[in-house]
């Protein structure tokens, strides 16, 4: 979040939208009356809700294009086009530069699920695109998670991994021992 937005939250100028799922329906209705539009990830039956599903686009440049969609609501199409073109040009330039390297490190994105008590190497499509474009390769197959309920199985899968990205969720502060 931007410092300006954080400031508005701290000052009480901006607050959280009441949830449509189990929240106070009267409070949500009142909040919706005060806005022209509500941008959120999922579609809704609220007539003011606009679904922004940028994170569902697997490719990095497709996700960046959402700035152009958002610009339509603020009459900022020209600025958004310039921003996107800058992102696209730099992205493609970097992608070309790393494609010339013959060594491609192997990367794994993994987490421990305290709910299912297993380690997961996650291979979502967007991760594949980011790594490919960064000159690396994903361990395993795109869109096929690898699950392990023993550390020995996880260690075997990580044997040839050069970079491990730990996505384990922590409800509190991380502590290392």
């Amino acid at each position: 979040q931007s410092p300006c937005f954080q400031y508005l939250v701290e000052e009480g100028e901006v607050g959280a939208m009441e949830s449509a799922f189990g929240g106070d329906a009267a409070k949500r209705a009142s909040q919706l009356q005060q806005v022209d539009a509500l941008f959120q990830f999922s579609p809704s039956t609220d007539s003011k809700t606009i679904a922004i599903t940028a994170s569902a686009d697997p490719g990095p440049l497709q996700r960046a294009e959402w700035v152009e969609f958002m610009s339509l609501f603020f009459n900022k199409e020209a600025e958004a086009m310039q921003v996107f073109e800058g992102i696209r040009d730099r992205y493609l330039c970097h992608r070309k530069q790393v494609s010339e390297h013959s060594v491609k490190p192997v990367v794994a994105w993994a987490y421990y699920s305290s709910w299912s008590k297993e380690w997961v190497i996650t291979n979502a499509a967007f991760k594949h695109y980011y790594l490919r474009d960064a000159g690396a390769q994903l361990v395993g197959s795109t869109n096929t998670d690898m699950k392990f309920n023993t550390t020995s199985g996880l260690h075997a899968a990580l044997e040839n991994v050069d970079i491990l990205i730990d996505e384990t969720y922590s409800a509190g502060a991380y502590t290392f021992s």
Side-chain angles (χ1 to χ4, degrees):
Q1 294 176 350
S2 75
C4 294
F5 185 75
Q6 291 175 13
Y7 174 79
L8 292 172
V9 170
E10 289 171 11
E11 294 297 311
E13 296 292 324
V14 176
M17 188 71 183
E18 190 69 16
S19 174
F21 306 101
D24 181 334
K27 181 177 179 181
R28 182 175 174 84
S30 173
Q31 288 173 323
L32 281 171
Q33 288 176 350
Q34 299 173 41
V35 298
D36 294 324
L38 172 64
F39 298 103
Q40 65 182 33
F41 175 74
S42 58
S44 171
T45 56
D46 296 325
S47 62
K48 294 183 175 185
T49 299
I50 300 166
I52 305 296
T53 57
S55 62
D57 266 329
L61 290 178
Q62 289 86 348
R63 288 179 179 208
E65 280 182 309
W66 278 86
V67 72
E68 293 178 313
F69 174 76
M70 291 295 297
S71 74
L72 299 172
F73 299 97
F74 303 97
N75 294 320
K76 298 287 187 179
E77 297 92 337
E79 293 93 330
M81 189 170 23
Q82 287 180 326
V83 167
F84 174 72
E85 287 173 354
I87 292 169
R88 182 199 61 213
D89 293 348
R90 286 187 303 278
Y91 191 90
L92 294 175
C93 177
H94 290 300
R95 186 170 76 181
K96 182 180 182 308
Q97 287 176 334
V98 298
S99 71
E100 297 166 1
H101 295 279
S102 59
V103 177
K104 300 198 179 303
V106 178
V107 179
W109 302 63
Y111 66 90
Y112 179 73
S113 170
S114 58
W115 179 76
S116 64
K117 307 290 187 231
E118 62 189 0
W119 290 269
V120 179
I121 296 176
T122 177
N123 291 324
F126 80 91
K127 295 173 182 177
H128 164 77
Y129 290 116
Y130 282 128
L131 292 176
R132 178 201 65 197
D133 294 348
Q137 57 185 352
L138 189 65
V139 66
S141 302
T142 302
N143 282 335
T144 305
D145 288 350
M146 301 162 52
K147 299 179 180 185
F148 308 92
N149 47 19
T150 65
T151 55
S152 59
L154 175 66
H155 289 168
L158 297 175
E159 184 177 8
N160 295 316
V161 169
D162 299 304
I163 301 167
L164 173 62
I165 300 171
D166 183 359
E167 298 183 295
T168 302
Y169 172 77
S170 174
Y174 283 102
T175 56
F176 300 96
S177 53

